[in-house]
Amino acid sequence: MKRHKFVKLMLKRANGKPATRGEAFAPANIALCKYWGKRDADLNLPVNSSLSISLGKLGTKTVVKFAKTADRVFLNGKPAPKDFADRISKYLDLFRADGQFFEVRTKNNIPTAAGLASSASGFAALVKALDQLLGWGFNPRELSMLARLGSGSATRSLYEGFAVWHAGVRADGMDSYAESFSNAWKDLRVGILEVSNVRKKTGSTDGMNRTVETSELYEAWPAQADCDFDELRTAVAAQDFTLLGETAENNALAMHATMLAAWPPLCYWKPQTLALMQKVWQARENGLELYFTIDAGPNLKLLFLKENQAAVKKLFPKVQIVNPFSS
Ligand code: PMV
């Protein structure tokens, strides 16, 4: 019920004009300092602040209209699988007036639920489209708080470039929002190495709850995350790539260490994930400045600078290279 009250309070601020349709795009984002653990599950309030980079044109486009008798949800041009449609309808319950239904058509140009953050771009695009349809007239900060209720990482997908999501301290969640951070870093590149696009068995919410409840190592996480968050803000502001890469990789591995120490143990990696990690470490030993980060899935995201793009492509021919700041 708490989240309904939060939404009610937010919607009191609405001052726009309703429309007959809403259409929006939101980029996927990759956390460099991860959100891992909730301080309030219902309001999706995180234990720690996080920092991300959005993936430019990779993300989700969503169109919303009103529907007559029931919600209709389409994913990539086809009726969405039941679990996906149910998750969207449950989210729409937060906003619907009595007897109101929606048609949601959503298209991803990234694999869904493979740890490539499509729930982040999905809920951010949906909330932007709803803002138009229902005439809220909200700013990105307000929209980020509503996206947060769909998926924590969606809080950061309202922005291009770097975003920070402030954990906040208030019990009502009104200070837990994301905002854009710092300037464009034109030479920064993200490489996506897809190991598997099969839907994962344990979703991120279950994964983080199990870790918080059972992992001794989780006790060390909030302090490390706070420290990494500060280091990464410094790295981004100063465009210090070594500090960015080292901190991001270490942050990801520390998060995965908390999962390995959970019970039952949680490991999102596949054998190929580890093989690729070792390949990155070897490349670094050979003098190539290259780092990785991994979310709650088996895929790697590489971090490197434009000057090393050709070398990275040679080592990893299947890499999908993203320039987060290309217009
Ligand atoms: O927003 P969720 O519930 O999908 O959780 C995201 C968790 C991580 O991707 C592992 C970290 C992050 O900050 O994106």
Side-chain angles (χ1 to χ4, degrees), residues 98-116:
D98 277 348
Q100 192 173 56
F101 298 102
F102 300 94
E103 181 184 298
V104 178
R105 289 180 182 270
T106 191
K107 276 194 177 145
N108 286 323
N109 56 11
I110 38 169
T112 304
L116 282 178

Side-chain angles (χ1 to χ4, degrees), residues 149-168:
L149 301 174
S151 151
S153 51
T155 316
R156 301 180 307 244
S157 266
L158 271 299
Y159 305 94
E160 305 286 330
F162 296 102
V164 293
W165 173 17
H166 302 283

Side-chain angles (χ1 to χ4, degrees), residues 133-146:
L133 180 74
L134 300 175
W136 297 332
F138 285 154
N139 61 34
R141 186 185 286 202
E142 290 166 321
L143 291 176
S144 81
M145 291 201 280
L146 293 179

Side-chain angles (χ1 to χ4, degrees), residues 12 18 23 36 102 112 181 252 286 288 316:
K12 276 192 182 155
E23 176 170 348
W36 195 244
F102 300 94
T112 304
F181 181 74
N286 297 344
L288 180 65
F316 302 97

